[in-house]
């Protein structure tokens, strides 16, 4: 098989993004633009994968270095055009032979299947260059494909195009396969062009045509070749990416009530017969089991949700685990480091932080559970609060299996309520409660007969005075 190499161009500034971040690190459905591009190239099984970086090169190298191995980086100090960018890899690739697949760091929608089709067509045709093209409704901004007798003759950039050429709707994706043998000499011969005197990579095609070398084209679906140059195009690409993900999930047996408002990142997994209601956001590395019900406005990020879980409306779950059969929300907040046990119940306006709730434990209403371990079957009454912070340090609360904590209890951590203990409602617990004990920690009530009227008079007097 022909040896393959991959090159991703990612040195440009992305001026039209008006951003302090490099364009290729902007995020789309949970990954950076350039990560999407690298994923499309994965099935090419390239011998080398190189990125040309320049603008904020360190940031791009740092992020990709942290998430991926096996990448080479080449610096393009001045961004003098896409042909100039490829030329920077000459010291690395000049001695290599085979196919170089060039991808644009800002064209993240290309699919792995299409990248493979490009390389395979190129190798089969033994072409000098193969260009991925598409016919699109609004070709503005793209290089236009000019054909003669059906053959690609040249690519004309927007700025250099005649009115007739601007009307052409077949455009250059910026994605190519090149035979390495004639590539670098030809790149060096590409003239400077356009308003910024750049050296355009498509310039090489005209030269190949003149030399009688074979140029192939592969035609892709229009949505695969979109380049991202502005926030508007970023949003459009997001729409297309979500559509693709939602179709995939529905084909695998997930019900999505309104796909237009389901925001599911590319790496999210969802099991069959789960129902996703409107306005649900599933982010990052999240997995949701089978037969779950995710109600309106739920956001789940980087979390693992088991089978048969119900998450009621407007709950937020971040960096947490929810075991099978649990019920969460509405309006619950499960924060990082939390684990909700099987069949457990977390109700309205309950916030759980860095805490474990055992199987079948319940915290139904208006509570804060932080830095706590709550045993299996324990019951946390409405309005219970773990007072975990003393102003300088966090402390832990431990609640044993089957313990009952009455409503409105404050647990001043560090403190332990042992298994089966019972805490009376309204208690302020400052000391450990032994297993099976009843703790009552509140002021005694005093009833003063007939004194209500006197109290009202006094209040009325002071209101007047
Ligand atoms: C480019 C193509 C155009 C094609 C379009 C598809 C050229 C001259 N034009 O135009 O035919 O229709 O993509 O999206 O190639 N880059 C560098 N170094 C540079 C310049 C650019 O690394 O000196 C990188 C950018 O970071 C970017 C990519 O190359 O990832 C494309 O550059 P961009 O300036 O966006 O080119 P377009 O004008 O979109
Ligand atoms: Ca572009």
């Amino acid at each position: 098989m022909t040896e393959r190499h991959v090159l991703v161009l990612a040195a440009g500034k992305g001026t039209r993004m008006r951003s302090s971040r490099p364009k290729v690190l902007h995020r789309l459905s949970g990954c950076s633009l350039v990560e999407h591009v690298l994923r499309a190239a994965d099935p090419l099984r390239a011998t080398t994968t190189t990125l040309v970086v320049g603008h904020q090169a360190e940031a791009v190298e740092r992020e990709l270095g942290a998430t991926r191995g096996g990448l080479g980086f080449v610096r393009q100090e001045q961004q003098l055009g896409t042909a100039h960018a490829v030329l920077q890899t000459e010291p690395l690739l000049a001695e290599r032979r085979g196919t170089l697949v060039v991808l644009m760091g800002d064209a993240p929608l290309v699919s792995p299947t299409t990248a493979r089709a490009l390389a395979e067509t190129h190798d089969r045709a033994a072409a000098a260059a193969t260009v991925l093209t598409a016919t699109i409704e609004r070709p503005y901004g793209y290089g236009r494909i000019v054909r003669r007798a059906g053959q690609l003759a040249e690519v004309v950039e927007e700025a250099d195009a005649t009115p007739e050429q601007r009307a052409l709707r077949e455009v250059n994706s910026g994605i190519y396969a090149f035979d390495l043998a004639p590539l670098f000499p030809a790149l060096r011969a590409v003239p400077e062009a356009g308003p910024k005197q750049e050296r355009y990579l498509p310039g090489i095609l005209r030269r190949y045509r003149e030399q009688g070398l074979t140029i192939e084209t592969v035609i892709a679906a229009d949505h695969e070749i979109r380049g991202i140059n502005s926030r508007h195009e970023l949003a459009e690409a997001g729409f297309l990416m979500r559509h693709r993900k939602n179709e995939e999930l529905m084909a695998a047996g997930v019900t999505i009530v309104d796909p237009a408002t389901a925001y599911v990142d590319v790496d999210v997994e969802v099991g069959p017969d789960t129902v996703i209601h409107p306005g649900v956001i599933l982010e990052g590395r999240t997995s949701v089991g089978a037969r779950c019900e995710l109600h309106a406005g739920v956001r789940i990020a980087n979390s693992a949700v088991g089978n048969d879980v119900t998450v009621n409306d407007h709950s937020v779950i971040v960096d947490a685990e929810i075991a099978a059969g649990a019920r969460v929300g509405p309006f619950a907040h499960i924060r990082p480091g939390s684990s909700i046990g099987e069949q457990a119940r977390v109700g309205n306006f309950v916030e759980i932080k860095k805490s474990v709730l055992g199987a079948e434990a319940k915290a139904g209403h208006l509570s804060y559970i932080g830095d706590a371990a709550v045993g299996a079957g324990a019951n946390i009454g409405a309005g219970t609060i773990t007072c975990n912070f003393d102003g300088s340090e966090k402390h832990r609360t431990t609640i044993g299996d089957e313990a009952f904590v009455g409503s409105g209890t404050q647990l001043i951590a560090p403190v332990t309520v042992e298994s089966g203990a019972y805490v009376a409602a309204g208690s302020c617990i400052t000391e450990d409660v032994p297993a099976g004990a009843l703790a009552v920690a509140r002021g005694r009530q005093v009833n003063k007969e007939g004194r209500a009227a006197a109290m009202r008079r006094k209040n009325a007097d002071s209101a007047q005075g």
Side-chain angles (χ1 to χ4, degrees), residues 9 11-12 76 79-82 104-106 143 157 172-173 200 229:
L9 303 190
Q76 183 194 24
Q79 286 79 58
L80 303 174
T82 43
M104 298 279 136
D106 68 347
E157 295 302 315
N172 174 24
S173 67
Y200 293 161
N229 303 300

Side-chain angles (χ1 to χ4, degrees), residues 226-246:
R226 302 292 184 90
I228 295 176
N229 303 300
S230 63
R231 306 278 179 162
H232 177 81
E233 286 168 344
L234 182 65
E236 279 187 341
F239 175 83
L240 294 166
M241 198 73 97
R242 286 197 297 277
H243 177 76
R244 199 183 284 177
K245 179 70 182 183
N246 290 343

Side-chain angles (χ1 to χ4, degrees), residues 337-360:
S338 297
S339 168
I340 309 301
E342 284 191 21
Q343 307 288 336
R345 166 98 184 91
V346 176
N348 318 255
F349 305 106
V350 172
E351 176 181 352
I352 312 256
K353 189 218 75 171
K354 224 187 204 176
S355 296
V356 176
L357 242 67
E360 292 179 52

